[in-house]
Amino acid sequence: MQTKVIRRPAYVWFPVAAGIAFYVCAVLIVGPLDEEPAAAFAVAGVTVFMWALGWDSAIRSTDDHVSIANFLVTSTVAWTDVEEVTVHDGLTIKLRDGRPIGSVAFGSSLLGAFTGYSTHQRAFRLLREAHLKALQAQGSTSEGQALLKWSFEWKRLLCALAVAYGPLAAIFVLVK
């Protein structure tokens, strides 16, 4: 089962570039500038936030289900529980019980409303095709309340924290 990952390029690279810039500042604060280490660790926290906002926000689709990651919280639902995928007010997955699921990366915006969400169209086409393919393979939608699973991605957060704070701690120890 192959997973397709959909990210919005500008939404990924701008926060990641900003996160790298903040991290360089944190390294300079704790290293050569020999300033307050607490400030360096606070600035590194901004780096982790930018990573969670940009790179970690993604839509993952398989033959059976779709998952939307927003700020380390992932919503997963089976394709049979999805009624439709729309792009009218941002990219939205509407469940058969009426609940919407949205993505921070593919959310609504004033500019998108004027341009017809042109940056969302590729994701919309991929998700709509995956939805139709899943319905053809698995049959029609099931009955009752849609089963929506929520999970907190603590392992990814721990890895991001280790990558951000590990080198800073090592630099702080070596400089002192």
Side-chain angles (χ1 to χ4, degrees), residues 23-43:
Y23 194 73
V24 168
C25 292
V27 169
L28 291 174
I29 290 170
V30 80
L33 297 179
D34 199 25
E35 296 291 326
E36 183 66 34
F41 286 96
V43 171

Side-chain angles (χ1 to χ4, degrees), residues 78-91:
W79 279 119
T80 54
D81 287 337
V82 173
E83 182 177 322
E84 67 178 335
V85 179
T86 64
V87 72
H88 301 296
D89 190 22
L91 186 66

Side-chain angles (χ1 to χ4, degrees), residues 56-112:
D56 196 50
S57 293
I59 300 173
R60 292 171 176 84
S61 169
T62 67
D63 294 339
D64 299 331
H65 66 275
V66 61
S67 299
I68 299 176
N70 292 317
F71 294 112
L72 301 168
V73 176
T74 302
S75 308
T76 304
V77 66
W79 279 119
T80 54
D81 287 337
V82 173
E83 182 177 322
E84 67 178 335
V85 179
T86 64
V87 72
H88 301 296
D89 190 22
L91 186 66
T92 305
I93 296 173
K94 185 177 174 188
L95 303 181
R96 70 178 187 304
D97 59 11
R99 291 182 290 171
I101 303 174
S103 170
V104 171
F106 293 95
S108 64
S109 70
L110 183 59
L111 182 61

